[in-house]
Amino acid sequence: YIYFFSSKKNKETFMKNPIKYIRQPKPKPAVPLKIAIVGPPKSGKTTVAKKFASVYGLLRLSMGDAIRLVLNNQPESELALRIKWHLHKGLTVPDELAIQALDVALMNHVCNTTGAVIDGYPVTRKQVNLLESARIIPVKIFELEMDAKEVFRRALLDKESGNRPPYPEHDSSQILAIKNSCYKQHIDAIRTYYKKEHQNWCVIDAFQSKWWIWNKVLQEVQVAVKEIQIYLERIREGKAAGIADLCITPEELQDRLGEFGQYCPVSLAEKGELVDCSVTSSLQFAAEFRGHYYKMASQEELDKFLSRPEVYVPPLAPHPLPPPDTLPKKLTAAEVKALFPVTAEMQGYCPVTYLDGKQRYEALVPGNIEYAAKYQDKVYIFESEEKLLKFMRLPEKYRNLKLPRKLPPVKEPILLTALPLAGYLEQAIATSLVKALNEVGCLKPKFPFLSVKKTALLFVACHLK
């Protein structure tokens, strides 16, 4: 075999002990990386992007780069001609054409081998939708966070520096203010979308030094690459693999869900519990096995599933998921009222509190209509959210409970005016009266020509008024 080295020193080191360097594990599969960096003007987006391009060989692509690449390399193509038509009229290139140009630029062989870093894009919600339709989803999007004051400070420093280009730049304070305002206007919607749909958004503090920012971004990228490499290796070997950092859309997740839907197969197999994982859109505890996705309740369940997935899925799974129409379903207060004249089971008492309290008289606690569930066409009302979740996990355990003959008396509201005088004062004005008497004691007022008693009574009367 012939081996190539990066330097003469490495070649000589290899010559001394070649077996040591030949007998090492194979490198993990190369993963072409696609990341994006967004932020306000002067936040350091281009600095980080150029660093990635120089150190790791990624292709740096701003939207201008992508358009120039199409105009220079494919000047006679229909896309280039449409872009030129807008430019010759002095117009900006529409987002639809810009995304097409970016798509063409991403076909470059560098993007397919090492990857690309998209500099300063997307900046509007429309651009996000166009990227999605073109299936351009970065593995990580880094937001360099910085306030307007720092933007203008850095702009002044740049103007004072000597290494400015020979042509005039669009970096006046007015233009920077407009750019920053437009960025701030759209960034919240973009951040919310990517956090919800792909969980690939990462906020970086741009106030830090450029070395700190570079190390932070690099660290996040390395974690993402490692996760992808582990995923590829495990799937190739026919094992289960985590899918936390793979930018899987909710639609794709829904299409490829396994036999258990969004219920945890490990909890169902080991404890017989129906743990619904759809309450969170995060895929932190999700895994792929045999082409299907499964969601787990926690890291402990995920580790068990990854080590022995075949035990928790059919045909070896001990408990199949019940049919959808027999699963417990949470109800809102409006939905409970809409079911009238259907009444709650156990006369509205919380079944979980009653059974967990060993079916004692003291454990008969009325449920709250805000925490309700429907199971096998019956409505159950619970004391708290915690008790509701307990029922959702083990509905069969709390289903057929019988109330004792002796029940607590029905609590009916009593009119305030129906109370005796002492009770009325206690329930109605006790707090105000205590405050008034406390003020009298602290201030000790005395009106001229009036006794202390009359002064105190007048003060209390005014205070209460």
Side-chain angles (χ1 to χ4, degrees), residues 68-315:
R68 279 189 288 274
L69 194 141
V70 170
L71 293 174
N72 296 335
N73 296 354
Q74 304 172 7
E76 298 305 318
S77 65
E78 186 187 347
L79 176 60
L81 293 173
R82 288 170 69 190
I83 289 171
K84 283 178 187 173
W85 185 86
H86 283 88
L87 293 176
H88 289 160
K89 290 210 172 245
L91 305 170
T92 55
V93 178
D95 286 334
E96 289 81 359
L97 297 180
I99 296 290
Q100 287 180 43
L102 181 64
D103 205 11
V104 171
L106 288 170
M107 293 178 190
N108 189 302
H109 70 280
V110 177
C111 301
N112 295 325
T113 50
T114 54
V117 51
I118 301 168
D119 182 1
Y121 204 82
V123 289
T124 67
R125 189 68 180 78
K126 182 188 174 186
Q127 291 167 0
V128 171
N129 294 338
L130 290 168
L131 283 174
E132 290 287 308
S133 61
R135 301 296 296 166
I136 300 170
I137 305 170
V139 172
K140 281 280 180 187
I141 301 179
F142 296 98
E143 179 196 349
L144 301 181
E145 197 175 42
M146 196 171 73
D147 63 14
K149 188 178 177 183
E150 182 67 9
V151 170
F152 294 119
R153 191 187 72 81
R154 290 187 183 186
L156 284 172
L157 289 174
D158 285 351
K159 282 184 179 178
E160 290 168 6
S161 66
N163 56 349
R164 287 174 65 78
Y167 53 84
E169 286 191 289
H170 295 297
D171 61 350
S172 68
S173 57
Q174 290 88 350
I175 288 174
L176 280 177
I178 292 166
K179 282 183 177 179
N180 189 54
S181 173
C182 290
Y183 171 79
K184 295 286 183 192
Q185 186 180 344
H186 296 288
I187 195 63
D188 288 338
I190 298 171
R191 187 193 303 119
T192 305
Y193 176 82
Y194 277 112
K195 277 187 174 179
K196 182 185 174 188
E197 295 290 319
H198 304 297
Q199 295 97 43
N200 61 346
W201 193 270
C202 184
V203 180
I204 305 287
D205 183 9
F207 275 103
Q208 305 286 347
S209 69
K210 57 185 174 184
W211 299 280
W212 185 92
I213 294 169
W214 164 249
N215 285 331
K216 185 76 176 169
V217 171
L218 183 60
Q219 189 181 352
E220 291 286 341
V221 169
Q222 284 173 341
V223 168
V225 170
K226 189 177 177 183
E227 289 290 330
I228 295 168
Q229 287 175 333
I230 291 168
Y231 167 82
L232 292 172
E233 282 183 351
R234 290 184 70 91
I235 292 297
R236 194 179 296 127
E237 293 167 7
K239 298 178 181 177
I243 56 171
D245 292 312
L246 301 184
C247 298
I248 290 162
T249 61
E251 292 80 18
E252 187 183 347
L253 176 73
Q254 204 63 41
D255 290 342
R256 293 179 61 183
L257 277 175
E259 305 83 355
F260 296 96
Q262 301 227 21
Y263 286 88
C264 174
V266 180
S267 300
L268 188 60
E270 294 191 343
K271 306 171 194 170
E273 291 185 359
L274 292 165
V275 181
D276 188 3
C277 303
S278 62
V279 289
T280 172
S281 60
S282 171
L283 299 179
Q284 187 182 354
F285 307 127
E288 181 184 335
F289 182 58
R290 294 174 184 164
H292 292 293
Y293 294 149
Y294 300 92
K295 288 182 82 172
M296 264 55 72
S298 68
Q299 187 65 46
E300 184 185 346
E301 277 82 11
L302 178 62
D303 293 340
K304 286 179 182 177
F305 186 86
L306 292 175
S307 60
R308 297 177 65 202
E310 59 282 340
V311 177
Y312 301 109
V313 299

Side-chain angles (χ1 to χ4, degrees), residues 360-402:
R360 293 179 309 210
Y361 178 82
E362 297 81 15
L364 286 166
V365 178
N368 186 338
I369 197 170
E370 295 292 330
Y371 312 114
K374 190 178 182 182
Y375 181 62
Q376 295 190 354
D377 296 326
K378 293 180 180 178
V379 177
Y380 299 86
I381 297 177
F382 306 92
E383 182 188 358
S384 63
E385 180 79 22
E386 181 193 350
K387 303 291 168 72
L388 169 60
L389 293 175
K390 222 170 184 181
F391 178 86
M392 297 292 285
R393 290 186 174 203
L394 293 163
E396 280 298 316
K397 181 180 175 183
Y398 302 105
R399 187 167 68 95
N400 287 323
L401 296 179
K402 301 293 180 190

